[in-house]
PDB file of all heavy atoms in Angstrom:
ATOM      1  N   SER W 266      10.873 -10.885   8.758  1.00  0.00           N
ATOM      2  CA  SER W 266      10.103  -9.762   9.299  1.00  0.00           C
ATOM      3  C   SER W 266       9.910  -8.669   8.260  1.00  0.00           C
ATOM      4  O   SER W 266       8.861  -8.013   8.225  1.00  0.00           O
ATOM      5  CB  SER W 266      10.810  -9.200  10.536  1.00  0.00           C
ATOM      6  OG  SER W 266      12.116  -8.761  10.223  1.00  0.00           O
ATOM      7  N   VAL W 267      10.907  -8.470   7.380  1.00  0.00           N
ATOM      8  CA  VAL W 267      10.765  -7.460   6.325  1.00  0.00           C
ATOM      9  C   VAL W 267       9.664  -7.859   5.360  1.00  0.00           C
ATOM     10  O   VAL W 267       8.861  -7.014   4.927  1.00  0.00           O
ATOM     11  CB  VAL W 267      12.106  -7.274   5.588  1.00  0.00           C
ATOM     12  CG1 VAL W 267      11.947  -6.307   4.426  1.00  0.00           C
ATOM     13  CG2 VAL W 267      13.188  -6.769   6.533  1.00  0.00           C
ATOM     14  N   GLU W 268       9.573  -9.148   5.003  1.00  0.00           N
ATOM     15  CA  GLU W 268       8.521  -9.611   4.096  1.00  0.00           C
ATOM     16  C   GLU W 268       7.148  -9.504   4.756  1.00  0.00           C
ATOM     17  O   GLU W 268       6.156  -9.168   4.094  1.00  0.00           O
ATOM     18  CB  GLU W 268       8.810 -11.052   3.678  1.00  0.00           C
ATOM     19  CG  GLU W 268      10.028 -11.199   2.773  1.00  0.00           C
ATOM     20  CD  GLU W 268      10.405 -12.652   2.542  1.00  0.00           C
ATOM     21  OE1 GLU W 268      10.011 -13.516   3.357  1.00  0.00           O
ATOM     22  OE2 GLU W 268      11.090 -12.920   1.531  1.00  0.00           O
ATOM     23  N   LEU W 269       7.079  -9.772   6.050  1.00  0.00           N
ATOM     24  CA  LEU W 269       5.809  -9.623   6.760  1.00  0.00           C
ATOM     25  C   LEU W 269       5.385  -8.161   6.804  1.00  0.00           C
ATOM     26  O   LEU W 269       4.205  -7.832   6.606  1.00  0.00           O
ATOM     27  CB  LEU W 269       5.931 -10.184   8.178  1.00  0.00           C
ATOM     28  CG  LEU W 269       6.097 -11.701   8.295  1.00  0.00           C
ATOM     29  CD1 LEU W 269       6.435 -12.091   9.725  1.00  0.00           C
ATOM     30  CD2 LEU W 269       4.825 -12.416   7.840  1.00  0.00           C
ATOM     31  N   LEU W 270       6.341  -7.266   7.076  1.00  0.00           N
ATOM     32  CA  LEU W 270       6.020  -5.839   7.078  1.00  0.00           C
ATOM     33  C   LEU W 270       5.588  -5.377   5.695  1.00  0.00           C
ATOM     34  O   LEU W 270       4.702  -4.518   5.557  1.00  0.00           O
ATOM     35  CB  LEU W 270       7.235  -5.030   7.551  1.00  0.00           C
ATOM     36  CG  LEU W 270       7.591  -5.153   9.037  1.00  0.00           C
ATOM     37  CD1 LEU W 270       8.913  -4.452   9.324  1.00  0.00           C
ATOM     38  CD2 LEU W 270       6.488  -4.570   9.908  1.00  0.00           C
ATOM     39  N   ALA W 271       6.200  -5.931   4.651  1.00  0.00           N
ATOM     40  CA  ALA W 271       5.800  -5.581   3.290  1.00  0.00           C
ATOM     41  C   ALA W 271       4.355  -5.981   3.025  1.00  0.00           C
ATOM     42  O   ALA W 271       3.625  -5.284   2.304  1.00  0.00           O
ATOM     43  CB  ALA W 271       6.735  -6.252   2.284  1.00  0.00           C
ATOM     44  N   GLU W 272       3.914  -7.097   3.620  1.00  0.00           N
ATOM     45  CA  GLU W 272       2.519  -7.507   3.465  1.00  0.00           C
ATOM     46  C   GLU W 272       1.581  -6.516   4.159  1.00  0.00           C
ATOM     47  O   GLU W 272       0.510  -6.181   3.632  1.00  0.00           O
ATOM     48  CB  GLU W 272       2.326  -8.904   4.038  1.00  0.00           C
ATOM     49  CG  GLU W 272       0.940  -9.490   3.808  1.00  0.00           C
ATOM     50  CD  GLU W 272       0.646  -9.780   2.347  1.00  0.00           C
ATOM     51  OE1 GLU W 272       1.588  -9.831   1.536  1.00  0.00           O
ATOM     52  OE2 GLU W 272      -0.545  -9.947   2.019  1.00  0.00           O
ATOM     53  N   TYR W 273       1.976  -6.031   5.332  1.00  0.00           N
ATOM     54  CA  TYR W 273       1.174  -5.001   6.007  1.00  0.00           C
ATOM     55  C   TYR W 273       1.124  -3.716   5.179  1.00  0.00           C
ATOM     56  O   TYR W 273       0.083  -3.058   5.100  1.00  0.00           O
ATOM     57  CB  TYR W 273       1.752  -4.711   7.389  1.00  0.00           C
ATOM     58  CG  TYR W 273       1.388  -5.727   8.441  1.00  0.00           C
ATOM     59  CD1 TYR W 273       2.332  -6.638   8.902  1.00  0.00           C
ATOM     60  CD2 TYR W 273       0.102  -5.781   8.961  1.00  0.00           C
ATOM     61  CE1 TYR W 273       2.000  -7.577   9.867  1.00  0.00           C
ATOM     62  CE2 TYR W 273      -0.231  -6.719   9.930  1.00  0.00           C
ATOM     63  CZ  TYR W 273       0.716  -7.616  10.370  1.00  0.00           C
ATOM     64  OH  TYR W 273       0.382  -8.550  11.320  1.00  0.00           O
ATOM     65  N   VAL W 274       2.250  -3.359   4.580  1.00  0.00           N
ATOM     66  CA  VAL W 274       2.276  -2.165   3.725  1.00  0.00           C
ATOM     67  C   VAL W 274       1.341  -2.347   2.540  1.00  0.00           C
ATOM     68  O   VAL W 274       0.628  -1.420   2.137  1.00  0.00           O
ATOM     69  CB  VAL W 274       3.718  -1.873   3.254  1.00  0.00           C
ATOM     70  CG1 VAL W 274       3.722  -0.767   2.195  1.00  0.00           C
ATOM     71  CG2 VAL W 274       4.589  -1.461   4.437  1.00  0.00           C
ATOM     72  N   ALA W 275       1.306  -3.553   1.960  1.00  0.00           N
ATOM     73  CA  ALA W 275       0.403  -3.825   0.847  1.00  0.00           C
ATOM     74  C   ALA W 275      -1.059  -3.661   1.263  1.00  0.00           C
ATOM     75  O   ALA W 275      -1.887  -3.154   0.503  1.00  0.00           O
ATOM     76  CB  ALA W 275       0.646  -5.230   0.312  1.00  0.00           C
ATOM     77  N   ILE W 276      -1.365  -4.060   2.505  1.00  0.00           N
ATOM     78  CA  ILE W 276      -2.742  -3.933   2.997  1.00  0.00           C
ATOM     79  C   ILE W 276      -3.096  -2.474   3.250  1.00  0.00           C
ATOM     80  O   ILE W 276      -4.140  -1.977   2.804  1.00  0.00           O
ATOM     81  CB  ILE W 276      -2.916  -4.761   4.285  1.00  0.00           C
ATOM     82  CG1 ILE W 276      -2.764  -6.260   3.986  1.00  0.00           C
ATOM     83  CG2 ILE W 276      -4.270  -4.485   4.926  1.00  0.00           C
ATOM     84  CD1 ILE W 276      -2.709  -7.123   5.226  1.00  0.00           C
ATOM     85  N   LEU W 277      -2.234  -1.760   3.976  1.00  0.00           N
ATOM     86  CA  LEU W 277      -2.540  -0.378   4.356  1.00  0.00           C
ATOM     87  C   LEU W 277      -2.451   0.586   3.184  1.00  0.00           C
ATOM     88  O   LEU W 277      -3.018   1.682   3.238  1.00  0.00           O
ATOM     89  CB  LEU W 277      -1.583   0.068   5.473  1.00  0.00           C
ATOM     90  CG  LEU W 277      -1.756  -0.668   6.805  1.00  0.00           C
ATOM     91  CD1 LEU W 277      -0.640  -0.285   7.770  1.00  0.00           C
ATOM     92  CD2 LEU W 277      -3.110  -0.361   7.426  1.00  0.00           C
ATOM     93  N   SER W 278      -1.731   0.221   2.127  1.00  0.00           N
ATOM     94  CA  SER W 278      -1.668   1.061   0.931  1.00  0.00           C
ATOM     95  C   SER W 278      -2.687   0.638  -0.114  1.00  0.00           C
ATOM     96  O   SER W 278      -2.710   1.202  -1.209  1.00  0.00           O
ATOM     97  CB  SER W 278      -0.263   1.016   0.326  1.00  0.00           C
ATOM     98  OG  SER W 278       0.071  -0.300  -0.094  1.00  0.00           O
ATOM     99  N   ARG W 279      -3.502  -0.380   0.213  1.00  0.00           N
ATOM    100  CA  ARG W 279      -4.520  -0.901  -0.712  1.00  0.00           C
ATOM    101  C   ARG W 279      -3.892  -1.242  -2.067  1.00  0.00           C
ATOM    102  O   ARG W 279      -4.336  -0.778  -3.116  1.00  0.00           O
ATOM    103  CB  ARG W 279      -5.654   0.107  -0.872  1.00  0.00           C
ATOM    104  CG  ARG W 279      -6.355   0.450   0.438  1.00  0.00           C
ATOM    105  CD  ARG W 279      -7.667   1.138   0.230  1.00  0.00           C
ATOM    106  NE  ARG W 279      -8.350   1.391   1.478  1.00  0.00           N
ATOM    107  CZ  ARG W 279      -9.613   1.831   1.572  1.00  0.00           C
ATOM    108  NH1 ARG W 279     -10.298   2.054   0.467  1.00  0.00           N
ATOM    109  NH2 ARG W 279     -10.166   2.031   2.753  1.00  0.00           N
ATOM    110  N   HIS W 280      -2.861  -2.066  -1.997  1.00  0.00           N
ATOM    111  CA  HIS W 280      -2.083  -2.397  -3.181  1.00  0.00           C
ATOM    112  C   HIS W 280      -2.914  -3.079  -4.256  1.00  0.00           C
ATOM    113  O   HIS W 280      -2.629  -2.967  -5.454  1.00  0.00           O
ATOM    114  CB  HIS W 280      -0.897  -3.285  -2.773  1.00  0.00           C
ATOM    115  CG  HIS W 280       0.099  -3.506  -3.852  1.00  0.00           C
ATOM    116  ND1 HIS W 280      -0.018  -4.512  -4.791  1.00  0.00           N
ATOM    117  CD2 HIS W 280       1.242  -2.840  -4.162  1.00  0.00           C
ATOM    118  CE1 HIS W 280       1.001  -4.470  -5.619  1.00  0.00           C
ATOM    119  NE2 HIS W 280       1.770  -3.464  -5.265  1.00  0.00           N
ATOM    120  N   ASP W 281      -3.951  -3.823  -3.835  1.00  0.00           N
ATOM    121  CA  ASP W 281      -4.768  -4.559  -4.800  1.00  0.00           C
ATOM    122  C   ASP W 281      -5.852  -3.710  -5.440  1.00  0.00           C
ATOM    123  O   ASP W 281      -6.577  -4.192  -6.319  1.00  0.00           O
ATOM    124  CB  ASP W 281      -5.409  -5.770  -4.108  1.00  0.00           C
ATOM    125  CG  ASP W 281      -6.264  -5.370  -2.912  1.00  0.00           C
ATOM    126  OD1 ASP W 281      -6.082  -4.246  -2.423  1.00  0.00           O
ATOM    127  OD2 ASP W 281      -7.089  -6.190  -2.467  1.00  0.00           O
ATOM    128  N   ASN W 282      -5.991  -2.463  -5.028  1.00  0.00           N
ATOM    129  CA  ASN W 282      -6.996  -1.560  -5.585  1.00  0.00           C
ATOM    130  C   ASN W 282      -6.337  -0.702  -6.667  1.00  0.00           C
ATOM    131  O   ASN W 282      -5.429   0.078  -6.379  1.00  0.00           O
ATOM    132  CB  ASN W 282      -7.575  -0.674  -4.484  1.00  0.00           C
ATOM    133  CG  ASN W 282      -8.800   0.101  -4.936  1.00  0.00           C
ATOM    134  OD1 ASN W 282      -9.012   0.323  -6.128  1.00  0.00           O
ATOM    135  ND2 ASN W 282      -9.616   0.525  -3.984  1.00  0.00           N
ATOM    136  N   ILE W 283      -6.798  -0.853  -7.910  1.00  0.00           N
ATOM    137  CA  ILE W 283      -6.182  -0.133  -9.026  1.00  0.00           C
ATOM    138  C   ILE W 283      -6.976   1.099  -9.441  1.00  0.00           C
ATOM    139  O   ILE W 283      -6.628   1.759 -10.424  1.00  0.00           O
ATOM    140  CB  ILE W 283      -6.009  -1.068 -10.245  1.00  0.00           C
ATOM    141  CG1 ILE W 283      -7.385  -1.579 -10.717  1.00  0.00           C
ATOM    142  CG2 ILE W 283      -5.084  -2.227  -9.910  1.00  0.00           C
ATOM    143  CD1 ILE W 283      -7.308  -2.394 -11.995  1.00  0.00           C
ATOM    144  N   SER W 284      -8.037   1.432  -8.723  1.00  0.00           N
ATOM    145  CA  SER W 284      -8.840   2.598  -9.081  1.00  0.00           C
ATOM    146  C   SER W 284      -8.095   3.884  -8.741  1.00  0.00           C
ATOM    147  O   SER W 284      -7.205   3.904  -7.878  1.00  0.00           O
ATOM    148  CB  SER W 284     -10.182   2.565  -8.356  1.00  0.00           C
ATOM    149  OG  SER W 284      -9.997   2.699  -6.964  1.00  0.00           O
ATOM    150  N   SER W 285      -8.474   4.954  -9.410  1.00  0.00           N
ATOM    151  CA  SER W 285      -7.808   6.236  -9.180  1.00  0.00           C
ATOM    152  C   SER W 285      -8.158   6.830  -7.825  1.00  0.00           C
ATOM    153  O   SER W 285      -7.407   7.643  -7.280  1.00  0.00           O
ATOM    154  CB  SER W 285      -8.194   7.222 -10.291  1.00  0.00           C
ATOM    155  OG  SER W 285      -9.610   7.400 -10.339  1.00  0.00           O
ATOM    156  N   SER W 286      -9.297   6.432  -7.251  1.00  0.00           N
ATOM    157  CA  SER W 286      -9.726   7.001  -5.971  1.00  0.00           C
ATOM    158  C   SER W 286      -8.949   6.462  -4.788  1.00  0.00           C
ATOM    159  O   SER W 286      -9.080   6.961  -3.681  1.00  0.00           O
ATOM    160  CB  SER W 286     -11.218   6.737  -5.758  1.00  0.00           C
ATOM    161  OG  SER W 286     -11.470   5.342  -5.713  1.00  0.00           O
ATOM    162  N   VAL W 287      -8.118   5.414  -5.008  1.00  0.00           N
ATOM    163  CA  VAL W 287      -7.388   4.813  -3.895  1.00  0.00           C
ATOM    164  C   VAL W 287      -6.417   5.803  -3.271  1.00  0.00           C
ATOM    165  O   VAL W 287      -6.086   5.703  -2.086  1.00  0.00           O
ATOM    166  CB  VAL W 287      -6.638   3.550  -4.380  1.00  0.00           C
ATOM    167  CG1 VAL W 287      -5.491   3.909  -5.288  1.00  0.00           C
ATOM    168  CG2 VAL W 287      -6.128   2.736  -3.194  1.00  0.00           C
ATOM    169  N   HIS W 288      -5.963   6.797  -4.040  1.00  0.00           N
ATOM    170  CA  HIS W 288      -5.019   7.783  -3.517  1.00  0.00           C
ATOM    171  C   HIS W 288      -5.629   8.608  -2.385  1.00  0.00           C
ATOM    172  O   HIS W 288      -4.898   9.174  -1.575  1.00  0.00           O
ATOM    173  CB  HIS W 288      -4.551   8.710  -4.636  1.00  0.00           C
ATOM    174  CG  HIS W 288      -3.818   7.997  -5.730  1.00  0.00           C
ATOM    175  ND1 HIS W 288      -2.510   7.600  -5.623  1.00  0.00           N
ATOM    176  CD2 HIS W 288      -4.217   7.591  -6.963  1.00  0.00           C
ATOM    177  CE1 HIS W 288      -2.123   6.996  -6.729  1.00  0.00           C
ATOM    178  NE2 HIS W 288      -3.144   6.964  -7.561  1.00  0.00           N
ATOM    179  N   ASN W 289      -6.962   8.665  -2.333  1.00  0.00           N
ATOM    180  CA  ASN W 289      -7.624   9.467  -1.299  1.00  0.00           C
ATOM    181  C   ASN W 289      -7.957   8.659  -0.052  1.00  0.00           C
ATOM    182  O   ASN W 289      -8.426   9.243   0.936  1.00  0.00           O
ATOM    183  CB  ASN W 289      -8.909  10.069  -1.861  1.00  0.00           C
ATOM    184  CG  ASN W 289      -8.654  10.989  -3.033  1.00  0.00           C
ATOM    185  OD1 ASN W 289      -7.667  11.715  -3.057  1.00  0.00           O
ATOM    186  ND2 ASN W 289      -9.531  10.947  -4.032  1.00  0.00           N
ATOM    187  N   PHE W 290      -7.747   7.341  -0.081  1.00  0.00           N
ATOM    188  CA  PHE W 290      -8.171   6.497   1.031  1.00  0.00           C
ATOM    189  C   PHE W 290      -7.037   5.670   1.637  1.00  0.00           C
ATOM    190  O   PHE W 290      -7.195   5.161   2.734  1.00  0.00           O
ATOM    191  CB  PHE W 290      -9.287   5.544   0.587  1.00  0.00           C
ATOM    192  CG  PHE W 290     -10.530   6.249   0.124  1.00  0.00           C
ATOM    193  CD1 PHE W 290     -10.789   6.427  -1.226  1.00  0.00           C
ATOM    194  CD2 PHE W 290     -11.436   6.758   1.035  1.00  0.00           C
ATOM    195  CE1 PHE W 290     -11.934   7.083  -1.653  1.00  0.00           C
ATOM    196  CE2 PHE W 290     -12.576   7.413   0.620  1.00  0.00           C
ATOM    197  CZ  PHE W 290     -12.830   7.578  -0.726  1.00  0.00           C
ATOM    198  N   ARG W 291      -5.933   5.520   0.956  1.00  0.00           N
ATOM    199  CA  ARG W 291      -4.868   4.666   1.481  1.00  0.00           C
ATOM    200  C   ARG W 291      -4.153   5.356   2.634  1.00  0.00           C
ATOM    201  O   ARG W 291      -4.000   6.571   2.668  1.00  0.00           O
ATOM    202  CB  ARG W 291      -3.880   4.324   0.369  1.00  0.00           C
ATOM    203  CG  ARG W 291      -3.151   5.521  -0.222  1.00  0.00           C
ATOM    204  CD  ARG W 291      -2.345   5.120  -1.434  1.00  0.00           C
ATOM    205  NE  ARG W 291      -1.624   6.275  -1.987  1.00  0.00           N
ATOM    206  CZ  ARG W 291      -0.936   6.227  -3.129  1.00  0.00           C
ATOM    207  NH1 ARG W 291      -0.884   5.101  -3.830  1.00  0.00           N
ATOM    208  NH2 ARG W 291      -0.308   7.303  -3.553  1.00  0.00           N
ATOM    209  N   PHE W 292      -3.701   4.539   3.590  1.00  0.00           N
ATOM    210  CA  PHE W 292      -2.974   5.052   4.743  1.00  0.00           C
ATOM    211  C   PHE W 292      -1.480   5.203   4.448  1.00  0.00           C
ATOM    212  O   PHE W 292      -0.815   6.025   5.071  1.00  0.00           O
ATOM    213  CB  PHE W 292      -3.151   4.120   5.941  1.00  0.00           C
ATOM    214  CG  PHE W 292      -4.518   4.191   6.570  1.00  0.00           C
ATOM    215  CD1 PHE W 292      -5.521   4.994   6.032  1.00  0.00           C
ATOM    216  CD2 PHE W 292      -4.812   3.464   7.710  1.00  0.00           C
ATOM    217  CE1 PHE W 292      -6.764   5.070   6.605  1.00  0.00           C
ATOM    218  CE2 PHE W 292      -6.065   3.535   8.303  1.00  0.00           C
ATOM    219  CZ  PHE W 292      -7.039   4.337   7.738  1.00  0.00           C
ATOM    220  N   LEU W 293      -0.949   4.401   3.542  1.00  0.00           N
ATOM    221  CA  LEU W 293       0.460   4.449   3.168  1.00  0.00           C
ATOM    222  C   LEU W 293       0.578   4.624   1.666  1.00  0.00           C
ATOM    223  O   LEU W 293      -0.323   4.249   0.908  1.00  0.00           O
ATOM    224  CB  LEU W 293       1.180   3.153   3.589  1.00  0.00           C
ATOM    225  CG  LEU W 293       1.066   2.707   5.045  1.00  0.00           C
ATOM    226  CD1 LEU W 293       1.790   1.384   5.248  1.00  0.00           C
ATOM    227  CD2 LEU W 293       1.626   3.759   5.985  1.00  0.00           C
ATOM    228  N   ALA W 294       1.698   5.192   1.228  1.00  0.00           N
ATOM    229  CA  ALA W 294       1.961   5.381  -0.194  1.00  0.00           C
ATOM    230  C   ALA W 294       3.389   4.946  -0.488  1.00  0.00           C
ATOM    231  O   ALA W 294       4.296   5.190   0.317  1.00  0.00           O
ATOM    232  CB  ALA W 294       1.754   6.841  -0.599  1.00  0.00           C
ATOM    233  N   PRO W 295       3.627   4.290  -1.640  1.00  0.00           N
ATOM    234  CA  PRO W 295       4.998   3.864  -1.971  1.00  0.00           C
ATOM    235  C   PRO W 295       5.900   5.063  -2.212  1.00  0.00           C
ATOM    236  O   PRO W 295       5.460   6.119  -2.662  1.00  0.00           O
ATOM    237  CB  PRO W 295       4.806   3.032  -3.245  1.00  0.00           C
ATOM    238  CG  PRO W 295       3.522   3.530  -3.837  1.00  0.00           C
ATOM    239  CD  PRO W 295       2.663   3.923  -2.680  1.00  0.00           C
ATOM    240  N   PHE W 296       7.189   4.868  -1.936  1.00  0.00           N
ATOM    241  CA  PHE W 296       8.187   5.916  -2.150  1.00  0.00           C
ATOM    242  C   PHE W 296       9.409   5.276  -2.806  1.00  0.00           C
ATOM    243  O   PHE W 296       9.976   4.326  -2.272  1.00  0.00           O
ATOM    244  CB  PHE W 296       8.584   6.575  -0.822  1.00  0.00           C
ATOM    245  CG  PHE W 296       9.541   7.723  -0.977  1.00  0.00           C
ATOM    246  CD1 PHE W 296       9.080   9.001  -1.216  1.00  0.00           C
ATOM    247  CD2 PHE W 296      10.911   7.510  -0.901  1.00  0.00           C
ATOM    248  CE1 PHE W 296       9.946  10.060  -1.361  1.00  0.00           C
ATOM    249  CE2 PHE W 296      11.790   8.566  -1.034  1.00  0.00           C
ATOM    250  CZ  PHE W 296      11.314   9.837  -1.276  1.00  0.00           C
ATOM    251  N   GLY W 297       9.787   5.789  -3.956  1.00  0.00           N
ATOM    252  CA  GLY W 297      10.945   5.248  -4.660  1.00  0.00           C
ATOM    253  C   GLY W 297      10.565   4.125  -5.604  1.00  0.00           C
ATOM    254  O   GLY W 297       9.414   3.665  -5.647  1.00  0.00           O
ATOM    255  N   SER W 298      11.529   3.653  -6.343  1.00  0.00           N
ATOM    256  CA  SER W 298      11.285   2.640  -7.369  1.00  0.00           C
ATOM    257  C   SER W 298      11.681   1.231  -6.925  1.00  0.00           C
ATOM    258  O   SER W 298      11.299   0.258  -7.563  1.00  0.00           O
ATOM    259  CB  SER W 298      12.063   2.989  -8.643  1.00  0.00           C
ATOM    260  OG  SER W 298      13.451   3.132  -8.367  1.00  0.00           O
ATOM    261  N   ALA W 299      12.452   1.090  -5.862  1.00  0.00           N
ATOM    262  CA  ALA W 299      12.886  -0.235  -5.405  1.00  0.00           C
ATOM    263  C   ALA W 299      11.707  -0.997  -4.815  1.00  0.00           C
ATOM    264  O   ALA W 299      10.911  -0.447  -4.047  1.00  0.00           O
ATOM    265  CB  ALA W 299      13.995  -0.096  -4.365  1.00  0.00           C
ATOM    266  N   THR W 300      11.557  -2.270  -5.190  1.00  0.00           N
ATOM    267  CA  THR W 300      10.444  -3.088  -4.723  1.00  0.00           C
ATOM    268  C   THR W 300      10.951  -4.435  -4.221  1.00  0.00           C
ATOM    269  O   THR W 300      12.093  -4.824  -4.478  1.00  0.00           O
ATOM    270  CB  THR W 300       9.416  -3.325  -5.845  1.00  0.00           C
ATOM    271  OG1 THR W 300      10.056  -4.003  -6.935  1.00  0.00           O
ATOM    272  CG2 THR W 300       8.820  -2.016  -6.330  1.00  0.00           C
TER     273      THR W 300
END
């Protein structure tokens, strides 16, 4: 379930988008250095 939730976090944080404008559109943002 943690891995599935991590996939949802990747979607809602637009993890695959590397543009600088993603910070203005993502619903979630990473916190901390642990991955």
Side-chain angles (χ1 to χ4, degrees):
S266 59
V267 176
E268 291 172 339
L269 292 171
L270 289 173
E272 186 67 17
Y273 281 107
V274 171
I276 294 171
L277 294 172
S278 62
R279 301 195 177 189
H280 190 274
D281 58 342
N282 191 338
I283 61 174
S284 66
S285 58
S286 62
V287 70
H288 298 282
N289 299 323
F290 298 100
R291 63 188 181 186
F292 287 3
L293 307 178
F296 184 87
S298 56
T300 60

